[in-house]
Amino acid sequence: MSDEIDVQLLLQKYKGKYPQGLAGDEQVRSNLPLPFIETTDADVRASGLSDDQVNSWLEYAGWNLWDFILGRASEGESGLIPRQEYETVSFVQQWANYPKFIRILTEELGVDGLLELAKTSRREVGTKVNVTRNWAASVCPILGRGISVDLGFHGANDRREDLEDFIQFGRRLQHGTWGGGPGFVSARGFQVPVLDDDVLATLVAQTKPLEGPTRDAFRKFNAKTELFGFMLHYDCRAGMGDTGPYPLPDGRFAIVRDHFLNETAYPWSGVAEGLPYCVTEVLVFPSDKVTATVNEIMTTFTKPTNYLDYLVEGVAFARDRIDTPMSQLRVLDDAEMESIAQKCQKGTMDMYKTLAKKSRDEKIRDGIMVYTREFLQSHALKVDLWDRFVAEGFDTMTADAEKAWPVLTSGKAAEVLTPVLLFGKGFPNVTSKETQQA
């Protein structure tokens, strides 16, 4: 079999065995030694994991990431930002730096406190304590482990305690959000109906019919706020997130969409001046004309792809500050939606100008700041630990990240990343000393 045929097979099936989507989820889960991607009240409290538990989680996470990356293949980039480079150095940075900080969160809150924190996404919109971070706070640094192993920084059996702590940290966030069962969105049918019924009902009750010019204006608002959030967060989807689909009466369903605009975490955040922290849209569609799935990073995929042509009702809300209570979430009228859209359009152009002045290395370091902050900062802010994180070196580049930089930002990056990201090398299994001796 030629290398070309091997590559094609590995792009079609994870490790040459598991396809994308629901069929792949079913097959990979049926072959796991243990169903450890499902959480229970008891097992999220465990402090030590067996080889089978760890390897079951790693095997599923590897397929899950492969499925996700192939699904993201059509996603555009601005061309101004070296996103692959900053993302992959960030993974190494997270693997080196996050263990200290997930332990601070766990020690300060306890397991029950973490579970309670993860319930936030059930009761709030416009929050980054959400399903995306449940996934990214464990999978991304553990992918950094795979890259580090591949680069020869350490072996697959080294830092076992860090690996176990990451797996359990992610599982605790998932358990707090879902209350048990599969933690990964791909194992929940690619559905993210996370909002509690009463919260959803309050939001949907305020939707209004959209047709003709009003639908066109709503779609322009959606497009301009999405693009601005995307660029503010350095060309990645950390600035947005969908939940749903939520079945509604009369054969309809809703998607609830957050666009994070006035995120003050970054030195370039001045481009967002005058905007609310987040705008949240409720989008209602007829189920007989549109179907939707949502992936691990809360991105909606629809059939047909021109789903906004079928938008029948909608409403937009503003959460003015990151700490604005849900009781103060406010409906945006047409005039303010237009004003926000225009400010976002100007902010996007200002962001392009800002980026054009930066060197490639500066943009990579900025991107690393975004990617490392985005997965834990929201949790730390919510429980008043962010200042401590910063004081204890959260943003400091680690020796391993600096060591990985020349390879991962060079023309040779694809040689390292393709087998790690797509061909199953990103999540190497572990073998305990006892197993090796046996």
Side-chain angles (χ1 to χ4, degrees), residues 12 17 52 55 85 94 98 144 146 171 211 215 225 227 232 235 254-255 268 282 287 300 303 308 350 372 379 397 405:
Q12 293 170 10
K17 296 187 290 185
D52 280 349
N55 291 333
E85 289 80 358
Q94 292 162 14
Y98 270 19
R171 293 178 78 251
E211 57 184 359
R215 183 167 64 184
T225 55
L227 179 59
L232 183 73
D235 212 17
I255 296 290
W268 53 90
V282 180
S287 299
T300 297
K303 292 181 181 181
L308 289 176
D350 290 344
T372 52
H379 303 77
M397 283 280 284
W405 179 295

Side-chain angles (χ1 to χ4, degrees), residues 125-129 133 228 232-233 238-239 258-265 272 274-280 318-324 374 377-378 381:
V125 295
T127 178
K128 289 182 176 179
V129 183
R133 276 76 186 173
F228 177 71
L232 183 73
H233 290 79
D258 289 331
H259 287 160
F260 296 94
L261 307 178
N262 199 348
E263 174 54 80
T264 60
L275 289 167
Y277 171 70
C278 184
V279 294
T280 297
R319 193 167 190 174
D320 289 313
R321 302 176 311 279
I322 192 171
D323 58 352
T324 295
E374 280 298 322
Q377 184 187 30
S378 51
L381 282 169

Side-chain angles (χ1 to χ4, degrees), residues 180-196:
F184 288 86
V185 169
S186 56
R188 304 185 75 88
F190 295 92
Q191 309 279 297
V192 188
V194 69
L195 289 171
D196 285 343

Side-chain angles (χ1 to χ4, degrees), residues 4-36:
E4 182 179 355
I5 294 174
D6 283 339
V7 169
Q8 290 304 312
L9 175 62
L10 292 168
L11 287 174
Q12 293 170 10
K13 293 187 176 183
Y14 180 64
K15 294 185 176 181
K17 296 187 290 185
Y18 305 118
Q20 281 185 273
L22 295 174
D25 164 69
E26 181 179 357
Q27 290 177 36
V28 70
R29 287 168 70 184
S30 70
N31 287 335
L32 296 178
L34 294 172
F36 199 60

Side-chain angles (χ1 to χ4, degrees), residues 352-394:
Y352 273 110
K353 293 174 185 177
T354 296
L355 291 167
K357 296 175 184 177
K358 292 178 179 283
S359 69
R360 183 172 182 270
D361 280 4
E362 286 175 321
K363 287 184 282 193
I364 292 173
R365 290 192 183 273
D366 284 350
I368 292 168
M369 177 188 286
V370 171
Y371 232 53
T372 52
R373 285 191 171 194
E374 280 298 322
F375 304 154
L376 284 183
Q377 184 187 30
S378 51
H379 303 77
L381 282 169
K382 192 82 170 174
V383 294
D384 298 321
L385 286 173
W386 178 242
D387 288 344
R388 179 178 170 187
F389 275 28
V390 174
E392 297 196 21
F394 187 87

Side-chain angles (χ1 to χ4, degrees), residues 277-344:
Y277 171 70
C278 184
V279 294
T280 297
E281 304 166 2
V282 180
L283 311 168
V284 179
F285 303 94
S287 299
D288 62 339
K289 295 181 180 179
V290 182
T291 59
T293 58
V294 182
N295 71 3
E296 301 291 346
I297 60 166
M298 299 168 69
T299 300
T300 297
F301 293 84
T302 64
K303 292 181 181 181
T305 55
N306 61 331
Y307 65 108
L308 289 176
D309 290 347
Y310 300 91
L311 181 64
V312 292
E313 290 188 12
V315 64
F317 302 88
R319 193 167 190 174
D320 289 313
R321 302 176 311 279
I322 192 171
D323 58 352
T324 295
M326 277 290 286
S327 60
Q328 294 178 26
L329 194 72
R330 57 190 184 83
V331 175
L332 296 172
D333 61 24
D334 293 344
E336 190 170 6
M337 287 176 68
E338 173 63 21
S339 174
I340 288 172
Q342 293 304 316
K343 288 177 182 177
C344 284

